[in-house]
Amino acid sequence: MTSTAVIDVEHLHLSYGDFHAVRDLSFQVRQGELYALLGTNGAGKTSTLETVEGHRAATSGTVRVFGQSPRDRRAVRSRMGIMLQESGFSPDLTVKESVGLIGGLTGRTDRVDRVLHIVDLTRKAGTRVSQLSGGEKRRLDFATAVYGTPELVFLDEPTTGLDIQSRDDLWATVGRLREAGSTIVLTTHYLEEAQQHADRIGLMHQGTFHREGTVAELTRTLPAVIRFGLPTPAPALPVQATREADGRFLVETFSLQKDLHVVLRWARDNGLELRDLEAGPTRLDDVFRAIGTE
Amino acid sequence: MLPIALSELVQIFRNRLVLVTSFIMPVAIAAFFIYRHELFASVGSLGYIAAIVMFTVGAFGLYTTTVTTLASRRQNLFLKRLRSTAIGDAGILSGLLLPVTVIALVQVVVILVVLAVVAGGPDNVVLLAAAVVSMLVMMLGLGLATAGLTNSPEHAQVTTLPVSIGTIAVASWVGIAGTEELTLVKRLLPGGSATELVVNAWNGGVAVTDSLLLLAPTLAWVIVAVTLASRMFRWEPRR
């Protein structure tokens, strides 16, 4: 393990009976980075995350968090905050009581009022959990995860069910945690969030990594795209293109600027309007979609 | 552990259904037995009344609430939430079950004191205390084991019936008929030896050393229940 690795997973294998949920998975998360664990449904990311959190025992392989087994709760839990995928709060306790109870049991110290202010639940402090909306429950979950500013924070689909303002607030808080030196491990189905915030991404498929790296490293393996519609009839295109189901043309290129320039000059020279013109670099969505075709 | 216990106490008093079915009903039943103590004493003895009110609290108060609480906390992922903190499993279970155990203990003590005042006190208080504590520990252990088989609070209404009805039935059988016949069977059934111990402690007439041996079957049930619980108890719902 390198000196700055907060999480070190080596040859992790997880089985449920005959089903192999995770197979020979190895990765590290370095101190201060935001690492996103992405994958298709059933790819094994939740099993992986729960093993790293210490909720689940590995079938084989080793998992170290802060150099220790995550199953040793007393040793590691005071240093980590966990936002679960589902609520897990007692419906008969109030918001303030819930944060005070769970936060206090983490072994960290903080002021409940401060944490409630961060997640904009101050007005709901006296409300029972059973009366919260889905988004408010997610914010309550986030509050317990960031209680006491832990060194390592697990965020399991943190923005599911949140409105846009709450999402922005959550990411602002994550940004402040990172400024304070916290390491973040994220799973999400919102790929644009991972693309925007993650330093590195582990892309899982069928229990192991399909790819791992920075957003740039993942996207550079696929071509950028130019899409446009043309009036008919139209002269022959100056670049290789395929026609999509909606009638538009798709140009896939590793030289986006050059080929876009060629297409625009060709359109100008022929007096054509390129309808619904789109051009841009490869997005994480494209990498994600390519999983099934490779 | 104490913060969990405190929050659990708050939840008990905020949940009227739990409060009524698990705490008020057993007390009401016990009050009826004490009110009609002359009738029930003629059927069995004062020791029988003491045993039946003790098991009413143990079965319908402590045991049923233990199963319901653990199933409920597991179903809404509160157990998983607690396990995402720094506290250990033993601390979590102790915190969750401490309030209901203390409430049951207080209920049994108050009810038996009232019975003693109304109808006459026990012959051996220490022996009675041993019987009460062993019964509470046994019901806790059986509650933990049953919680492993119980998926939800609604499911608990079914899964708790065999033990709760069974121990009450055994207490009635042993308390009324005594253990002169089918001695071994009656003592080995859950609650049988504890009932005999209570009857001996209240009515007197049996050597203390002979009565103390009756703790063994109850403690054996504790070991069986805890062993079953350690194998069957789940912290998260089945997927």
Side-chain angles (χ1 to χ4, degrees), chain A residues 100-111:
Chain A
L101 173 65
I102 302 300
L105 292 174
T106 62
R108 300 185 293 273
T109 54
D110 206 331
R111 287 186 302 111

Side-chain angles (χ1 to χ4, degrees), chain A residues 16 46-47 50 53 55-56 71 73-74 77-78 80 82-84 86-94 97 101-102 105-107 128 141 144, chain B residues 1 3-8 10-12 14-15 72-73 76-92 235-236 239:
Chain A
Y16 305 111
T46 297
S47 294
E50 291 191 340
E53 289 170 347
H55 281 122
R56 205 167 293 287
R71 303 283 287 172
R73 298 213 287 265
R74 289 186 189 282
R77 284 292 168 76
S78 62
M80 62 165 74
I82 299 174
M83 183 176 183
L84 298 173
E86 295 173 78
S87 176
F89 291 101
S90 186
D92 291 325
L93 293 180
T94 67
E97 288 166 346
L101 173 65
I102 302 300
L105 292 174
T106 62
R128 290 194 192 181
D141 204 336
T144 60
Chain B
M1 180 188 83
I4 298 175
L6 191 61
S7 79
E8 203 56 37
V10 168
Q11 291 175 74
I12 286 170
R14 283 181 185 164
N15 191 323
S72 170
R73 306 293 179 258
N76 65 21
L77 297 176
F78 189 60
L79 293 183
K80 185 177 182 181
R81 167 75 53 191
L82 291 173
R83 287 187 108 204
S84 70
T85 68
I87 191 166
D89 290 347
I92 293 171
W235 291 91
E236 294 179 38
R239 297 189 178 197

Side-chain angles (χ1 to χ4, degrees), chain A residues 3-31:
Chain A
S3 60
T4 55
V6 170
I7 296 171
D8 188 25
V9 177
E10 289 183 6
H11 306 295
L12 174 65
H13 198 103
L14 270 171
S15 299
Y16 305 111
D18 295 334
F19 176 67
H20 301 285
V22 179
R23 293 178 294 184
D24 196 25
L25 187 71
S26 299
F27 67 99
Q28 289 187 338
V29 179
R30 294 187 283 267
Q31 185 181 353

Side-chain angles (χ1 to χ4, degrees), chain A residues 38 157-162 167 171 186-196 284-285:
Chain A
L38 307 180
E157 300 187 17
T159 54
T160 301
L162 294 188
R167 285 186 193 193
W171 284 115
L186 165 75
T187 71
T188 181
H189 285 296
Y190 298 114
L191 300 181
E192 69 277 11
E193 291 185 341
Q195 180 150 8
Q196 186 179 351
L284 209 48
D285 307 42

Side-chain angles (χ1 to χ4, degrees), chain A residues 272-294:
Chain A
L272 297 171
E273 181 192 354
L274 302 177
R275 292 196 309 267
D276 303 322
L277 173 65
E278 291 175 13
T282 310
R283 293 175 306 174
L284 209 48
D285 307 42
D286 302 313
V287 179
F288 209 79
R289 287 193 185 94
I291 290 176
T293 61
E294 291 177 4

